[in-house]
Structures are given as C-alpha cells and as structure tokens.
Amino acid sequence: MVMDGWCSSQPVLGIFLMKKTNKRHDSVSAQRMRHMRIALGFDQAKQFAEWLGVEEDRWGNVERGYPLSMMLLKRLCQKYSGLSADWLLFGKTDGLSLKMAGLLL
C-alpha cells in the first residue's frame, strides 16, 4: 500500500479525512451561535434552551463549539423563518431572508 500524500488507499484516506474534520470545538461556530441567540432577543442561554425545548447543557455545548445536532438544526430552522442551515453550519449568508440577515449581520 502506497502511503505518500493523496496516493493512499481509500480506507487510509477516510481515516485521514475523519481526523481532519473531527474537530470537537469550533470557536467560530460557537461565536455565531451566541451572536444568533442574542440577536434573536435571548440574553440568557438558559432562556433560549427552554424556548427551543432542549436541556440547558445541550445548548451550552453548542455555544462552546460542539457540533450542532441535526435535531437542533431542524428545530432552529423551523422556529425561525428565514434562518438557513448554511448559515447555522457554515456562516454562509446567501440563504438568509432579508429580515434574518438584518438581525444577524
């Protein structure tokens, strides 16, 4: 099996990609989630978590940079018309409604 750069076997490449993308804490994402919560009118994470219907610790983990779960992603998009999964996950603004962009940007 050749192990130099991109000329590796598929399983090794898969492991390489998992290590590169398996980052536990993402400070940029954490900052985006805190900013969103405050922009939407929730000063306290506890209040926001209750409104979303999740444990305070679960939302707290998101604000510490842990990955956003699919359940939370769906719930946020359902509760807030104009919010986009692309913005929540990657910070891409092109999918936001004008009203939401005005709040978040």
Side-chain angles (χ1 to χ4, degrees):
M1 177 177 356
V2 179
M3 296 295 288
D4 58 341
W6 296 102
C7 298
S8 60
S9 70
Q10 196 67 356
V12 174
L13 180 60
I15 292 169
F16 171 75
L17 291 175
M18 282 186 356
K19 286 182 182 176
K20 294 295 270 188
T21 59
N22 191 14
K23 188 176 176 184
R24 296 259 317 156
H25 300 279
D26 180 353
S27 61
V28 173
S29 176
Q31 185 178 16
R32 188 169 53 252
M33 294 301 105
R34 278 190 300 276
H35 171 74
M36 177 195 66
R37 172 181 50 81
I38 293 166
L40 293 174
F42 292 89
D43 293 331
Q44 301 296 318
K46 181 178 181 174
Q47 296 167 331
F48 190 67
E50 287 174 3
W51 185 82
L52 274 177
V54 298
E55 297 287 327
E56 181 181 1
D57 289 344
R58 186 166 192 177
W59 181 254
N61 284 338
V62 172
E63 288 197 15
R64 283 188 286 282
Y66 281 84
L68 193 61
S69 71
M70 185 60 72
M71 184 275 298
L72 278 175
L73 179 70
K74 286 179 181 179
R75 192 166 290 178
L76 285 164
C77 288
Q78 289 170 342
K79 291 224 178 221
Y80 288 107
S81 178
L83 191 58
S84 76
D86 278 343
W87 186 83
L88 289 165
L89 295 172
F90 309 113
K92 293 182 179 182
T93 59
D94 52 337
L96 294 172
S97 70
L98 289 176
K99 180 181 177 184
M100 192 57 71
L103 285 172
L104 298 175
L105 306 179

